[in-house]
Amino acid sequence: MENVCGKSCESCAWKDQLNCAGCRTDMGKPFTGPCDIAACCREKGHEGCGTCAYLSGCPRRARRDDIPRQELQRREDEAAKQRRLAEIAPPMGKWVSMMFWLVVPTELAGLLTADFVAQALPAAETVGTALKFLCGLAYALFLWKLTPVLRDYRTAALCQMVVVLMDVFLPVIPEGSGLFFLLGIPSIIVSFYRSYVEFFAHAQAVEPLDADLAVGWRKLWKLVLLTLGALVFLFFSMFMGPFVMVLAALATVGLMIYYAVTRMIYLWRTAKRFREWAPPALPGASPEF
């Protein structure tokens, strides 16, 4: 049988290897996707390339010998991607889920250490500080557990450890002292860098499963920068009058809440995508993939 582009299916060396029934049998969809040569013929009303006036100079038909090779490469790439997902899906599903559930005690620790709570209940600050320390250590551990997935997770884990240690030492240093700023400013920088590395690692890991979610993780970093800008503006708004300061405070709080909720949603969706992942069946591939 002669296919659309004029090649003989019976003499094709790729037929059995790719389990191809021919583009006429498969309505111009050999392998797993449409053939652009067959699509071109249908669009122009031809049964095959032989009746086309542009046959001799057609760039699509000139590439016909490369189509089976490209399909084989596509299948190999897809199989490699599925093998990679099979390796990373269990740890990503497990440890990102743990990160999600850690958000609640972390936020509770932040509430307990807030000034208005600490003044009313001095013991609450001690509990909150201890809880914050434990949550910070646990988060660093979860990031470290994801090191086999991407080395960037190890960088994020080390940065998290630095932030946790700084949170222990900074409260015992008098505010306004040179040592406080010497340690406090680098701690803030490391914290933001940790978020940057972590979010982009999440994006890279989840991109094969959900490209939109990967884009969301990368955009979340911009929200971190926007929140930082709001905090800086809130500081300077103290010199602009009470009305501006109140507006700045409301905007900052709103951004922080939006960031926290969005981050929780992304953690949950990322973990869910990996927990529910199952290897698809690939034509011409082994049953394992």
Side-chain angles (χ1 to χ4, degrees), residues 188-212:
I188 294 174
I189 295 174
V190 171
S191 177
F192 278 95
Y193 180 67
R194 190 269 303 164
S195 298
Y196 171 82
V197 175
E198 179 193 345
F199 294 168
F200 275 75
H202 290 328
Q204 185 177 344
V206 80
E207 193 158 24
L209 292 177
D210 193 329
D212 292 336

Side-chain angles (χ1 to χ4, degrees), residues 166 170 173-174 176-190:
M166 290 299 99
L170 284 176
I173 300 174
S177 66
L179 183 60
F180 182 85
F181 288 102
L182 183 64
L183 296 178
I185 294 177
S187 177
I188 294 174
I189 295 174
V190 171

Side-chain angles (χ1 to χ4, degrees), residues 45-117:
H46 297 289
E47 291 188 2
C49 294
T51 57
C52 181
Y54 299 98
L55 174 63
S56 60
C58 178
R60 289 191 179 93
R61 191 170 183 271
R63 300 194 307 268
R64 62 179 181 168
D65 291 334
D66 293 332
I67 292 178
R69 190 177 296 105
Q70 292 171 355
E71 171 60 19
L72 182 62
Q73 183 62 52
R74 188 200 66 79
R75 292 188 187 185
E76 291 175 351
D77 293 343
E78 181 65 19
K81 184 181 81 171
Q82 297 305 324
R83 285 193 294 269
R84 172 63 176 163
L85 286 173
E87 293 174 358
I88 70 174
M92 287 294 295
K94 177 180 180 179
W95 297 113
V96 176
S97 291
M98 298 295 287
M99 291 178 184
F100 169 80
W101 291 111
L102 197 62
V103 171
V104 175
T106 300
E107 294 301 319
L108 176 61
L111 178 63
L112 293 175
T113 54
D115 290 340
F116 67 94
V117 176

Side-chain angles (χ1 to χ4, degrees), residues 28-41:
K29 296 182 179 180
F31 320 131
T32 58
C35 172
D36 59 347
I37 298 177
C40 177
C41 288

